[in-house]
Amino acid sequence: MPVSKRMTNNKLLIAFLVALLLLGLEWLARTGGANAASNDSPARLTNANCIMCHQDEQLNGFTRDSLRVNLTVDEQGYNQSVHGQAGVLCVGCHSTFTTYPHSEVEQVTCEQCHVDNATIVVPLPHDNGRAMEAHFNETCKNCHADVYSANSIHAAVAASGQVNAPLCTDCHGAHEIQSPAVPPERIITTCSRCHTDVYEDFLSNQHYAADPLTQTCADCHIPHELQAAPAEVTPTPQPTPVEETGGQTYLSLWNSTCTMCHVYPNLIGKAADTSTVSLTVLEQELSKSVHGKAGLGCAACHPSITGYPHHDVEQVSCSTCHASTDPEAMIIADLPYESTRALSIDLNEACYSCHEEEFEASANSMHTKSFEDGNMYAPLCVDCHGSHAVQPAQGSRASISQSCAKCHTAAYTSYQSSVHGEAVEKDGSLDAPTCADCHGMHNVTGPGETGFRNATVAICTRCHADQEMMSRYGVASDLFTPDMDSFHGIPLSLFNQQGLDQTVSNPVCYDCHGVHTIRKSDDPLSTVYPANLLGTCQKCHPDASSRFASADLGHTRSSASGLSLKSGIELIYASLIFILFALLVIYILLDVRKRRVEKKQLSQPVTGD
Amino acid sequence: MTTTNPETPAVQPENFKAAHAQKQARALHLRRTFALADRVRVMADGSRRIVRFKSVEIVEHWLLLITFAILGFTGLLQLFARVSFLAWTINTIFGGIDNLNAIHEVTALAFGGLCVFHFVRILTIWFVKREPGAMLPRSGDGSALKAMLRYNLGSTKERPLFDRFTIEEKLGYWAMLIFALIMLPTGIILWVPTIVTQVVPTSVIQIARSIHGMTAIFGVLAVLTWHLYFTVFKERNSSIFTGMMSEQEMKKNHPLEYERIIAAREEVQKLSKGN
């Protein structure tokens, strides 16, 4: 049998190697001291040279991210490892080290180690521990180029910048390297370190149940070749530039775990109604968001996701991802939702856990009412604030209106060309209103609601009666007051005072000046521009003449002559009436006085009698 | 005091025109005399009361009272709508300024109708009944006012004697008339400003608004002071509601009219005895 013959050969080979190794070790033990003495020798470092320091349990290095990495090597573990058994020297893998202490890379000096017996901490030329592991991992290729596959899913994940993508050492170990196949359970436990729930599934799997010792992950997922892909398209197109992923340290391990899959631009979720949504998370976006800066992990907003792949909710199975060997192929995962909108609605609930106040503020808003009326497209938190790119409210003022524009396009277009919109978007004014300044932020009021109409004057006067603010824009602040003396003004002040929920039939500011299209009165497109005024008046006064339109309403810049005529007549008439009334009262008082005198005269003779 | 002697010699047949005029004058005199004498009513207890107002005048006063009160209330509420308590009244009692304005306008129509009716009645009195109209200003009015002031000031002990209307009543009536003549046109301007401004400049609207408001304040104050003082507080005069006045009141306030009535009654009695 050729198989048994090869087995015998292997056994013989191993026995020979072990014998060789034992000899070698004895020789090493004897010659180690001599080599150390003759320090000037450029010969390769022996393992004893390395162990001399690296057996010290207090030997630590710290990487550039200031995290400590233990540099102790378990000599016994190494000797028992396949490398140890095969007589591979430390420098076989750590080939950059040619002397000790490692002065050629200038990290270690004698003084650093020999100051006292305290913990030895040496600086390492690596960004972090993981980078160091990746660095030494490269040397595996020197011997194991045949199994080292750049096309595996693990290599592709690593190429995408995922620092947690498995390295050789993650599966095989570093110094205590063992054959992964002995015993077979080792394979399962190795894979399960990352693929936790697959492991749990697998234990209840019929393959495993049938023969727990022989069936392992590797029987289906060929080691090193996992989902092999054509060599020319190896690196998956990256949504995130590599230099950006360098700043990944802000992300918790959790996030790295999630983004292991969710960086793929081809990752698509499909709801029951066949609507699809990209499940790709742009890390760059997330890192610049307020949540990213606050260090929130994915799970903060996705609390229902507790494992990966998400087997707990049974949307993801092995074949979901691994159906095709083409990395460009769409990976379509079934979502446990009716529609992608249902997904958004469900996830939106997570906002409540931190933003309770805003949730309550929006409880009576037009948007919430619309949602409660069955409009599932009524805006959720994420519709205005964004999901992964969530920005603080005090970001750009223009962005407030722009987020409204996602639905209210027509209103936004009108607003954009209005005096307010231009001030905000072109001049970057901090005073001019955005949508939210008039309509409210979370407690958005519907423009058709009585409350909004009644509050109009209060809304406009908040700025337009502010003398200081108006002077900045050369707008008169005294023309427009809540109790302005005009035909339109008096009833308005009436409604303002009471704030009753009854419709104001009298015009409010926007009835004449336009709703979103408000422009300066000297703008030829303004509804109150002299040439357009008649049409504006005729909206309510159909039989208005051009002369009617030119009437002084009490808050236009009054011409001196018109004012003096009116106030002159008023003054004369008022004084006339006052004099008349004074005379009237004097006449009555004279009569009262006379009657008293008469009464006295009448009563005197009576009392005299 | 008869102005014409019933014992006048018979008219000359050739002077027919003069005779006709004389007949006419005689007829008018008799009609007035009978009318005056007819105004004495003997009550069940034997006391006499004088009929002072016809039912049409009583109805007119009632209508004026009601429309004036409503117009004054609804108008002044609108004028001072900025006062928060009044704003509350407008919103809760009237359900908004629109309702208030509607009431004001409907009542104004009734008031205008009343004014027209009154004007037509005056024309009838002048041109149909050919009565002189006791409310018309006379040359004696000025001196009567002067005399009243002098009496009230105490510079004379003689109280001026009045006929059908005292000088206060006359001033009150004319004030009301002028009030209506100001309020009605300005009110119309405010009601239909768009139509009005097709003819007149827009400043008229603002001026009309000021005048309407100021006159309203004056009118309401004048009624509350002048009218109520002379008809209620000074001495209760309910003749405009009952139509009747006691002989005592007549003798005091309208002595000349009372004399005329008594004389007419005597004349009528004499005529009926002669027959």
Side-chain angles (χ1 to χ4, degrees), chain A residues 483-487 489-491 493-495 497-500 502-506 541-545 547-554 562 565-566 569-571 573-574 577-578 580-581 583-585 587-588 590-595 598 601, chain B residues 78-79 81-84 86-88 90-92 95-98 145 148-149 151-154 156-157 159 167-168 182 190 193-195 197-203 205-207 209-211 214-215 218 221-222 225-226 229-230 233-235:
Chain A
D483 54 1
M484 60 185 187
D485 183 27
S486 84
F487 288 94
I490 281 194
S493 65
L494 192 66
F495 289 106
Q497 279 173 17
Q498 295 305 311
L500 292 181
Q502 53 188 6
T503 311
V504 183
S505 59
N506 296 79
H541 306 280
D543 47 1
S545 62
R547 195 188 276 155
F548 175 80
S550 69
D552 176 10
L553 283 172
L565 175 71
K566 187 191 162 229
I569 289 174
E570 267 179 11
L571 187 72
Y573 196 78
I577 276 178
F578 182 78
L580 208 59
F581 188 68
L583 289 173
L584 185 153
V585 170
Y587 189 94
I588 292 170
L590 283 174
D591 199 276
V592 171
R593 184 176 149 273
K594 183 66 188 172
R595 280 187 67 223
E598 273 178 353
Q601 283 170 348
Chain B
Q78 289 183 73
L79 190 60
R82 263 187 245 131
V83 180
S84 56
L86 297 181
W88 177 86
I90 293 169
N91 283 318
T92 48
I97 200 157
D98 288 344
L145 182 64
M148 197 69 210
L149 280 169
Y151 172 74
N152 280 348
L153 284 166
T156 174
K157 297 240 166 178
R159 198 171 189 275
I167 188 68
E168 290 95 3
I182 294 170
L190 297 179
T194 52
I195 297 166
T197 49
Q198 283 170 6
V199 192
V200 296
T202 51
S203 54
I205 301 175
Q206 291 287 350
I207 292 164
R209 188 158 163 267
S210 305
I211 288 177
M214 285 191 279
T215 314
F218 176 78
L221 284 177
T225 53
W226 186 272
Y229 175 76
F230 287 111
F233 301 132
K234 189 179 176 185
E235 48 197 276

Side-chain angles (χ1 to χ4, degrees), chain B residues 46-103:
Chain B
S47 67
R48 290 200 297 186
R49 303 194 81 185
I50 310 298
V51 175
R52 182 147 169 77
F53 292 112
K54 287 185 272 183
S55 42
V56 64
E57 289 165 324
I58 294 168
V59 169
E60 268 186 344
H61 182 265
W62 266 116
L63 286 175
L64 180 64
L65 189 153
I66 292 164
T67 54
F68 189 89
I70 296 173
L71 284 171
F73 187 67
T74 57
L76 291 181
L77 268 183
Q78 289 183 73
L79 190 60
F80 295 107
R82 263 187 245 131
V83 180
S84 56
F85 170 70
L86 297 181
W88 177 86
T89 310
I90 293 169
N91 283 318
T92 48
I93 296 177
F94 291 93
I97 200 157
D98 288 344
N99 295 345
L100 194 68
N101 198 38
I103 296 169

Side-chain angles (χ1 to χ4, degrees), chain A residues 421-438:
Chain A
E422 281 190 356
V424 170
E425 298 202 343
K426 289 188 185 159
D427 310 331
S429 165
L430 296 175
D431 303 315
T434 64
C435 302
D437 289 307
C438 299

Side-chain angles (χ1 to χ4, degrees), chain A residues 231-296:
Chain A
E232 64 273 15
V233 284
T234 309
T236 323
Q238 281 314 298
T240 316
V242 177
E243 65 266 21
E244 283 296 326
T245 58
Q248 243 182 18
T249 40
Y250 71 87
L251 293 170
S252 69
L253 178 70
W254 239 110
N255 284 8
S256 315
T257 314
C258 300
T259 49
M260 204 155 67
C261 295
H262 286 278
V263 287
Y264 285 102
N266 301 338
L267 191 59
I268 307 287
K270 191 176 83 180
D273 66 347
T274 72
S275 58
T276 55
V277 62
S278 167
L279 299 178
T280 311
V281 178
L282 298 176
E283 280 185 69
Q284 196 182 3
E285 214 175 62
L286 190 61
S287 65
K288 284 180 179 170
S289 75
V290 271
H291 287 166
K293 283 174 187 162
L296 286 187

Side-chain angles (χ1 to χ4, degrees), chain A residues 40-110:
Chain A
D40 54 348
S41 165
R44 293 182 77 185
L45 290 171
T46 64
N47 284 7
N49 295 146
C50 302
I51 288 299
M52 197 160 65
C53 292
H54 284 278
Q55 66 186 347
D56 188 341
E57 282 174 14
Q58 286 181 316
L59 184 61
N60 289 295
F62 62 92
T63 49
R64 289 190 193 115
D65 63 358
S66 306
L67 289 178
R68 188 186 287 187
V69 179
N70 189 273
L71 300 175
T72 314
V73 176
D74 176 9
E75 189 186 3
Q76 213 170 4
Y78 176 76
N79 290 340
Q80 285 166 7
S81 76
V82 282
H83 283 167
Q85 301 277 308
V88 177
L89 297 176
C90 299
V91 289
C93 294
H94 303 281
S95 52
T96 48
F97 298 109
T98 53
T99 60
Y100 75 94
H102 315 306
S103 56
E104 80 275 23
V105 279
E106 294 189 333
Q107 324 93 310
V108 183
T109 63
C110 301

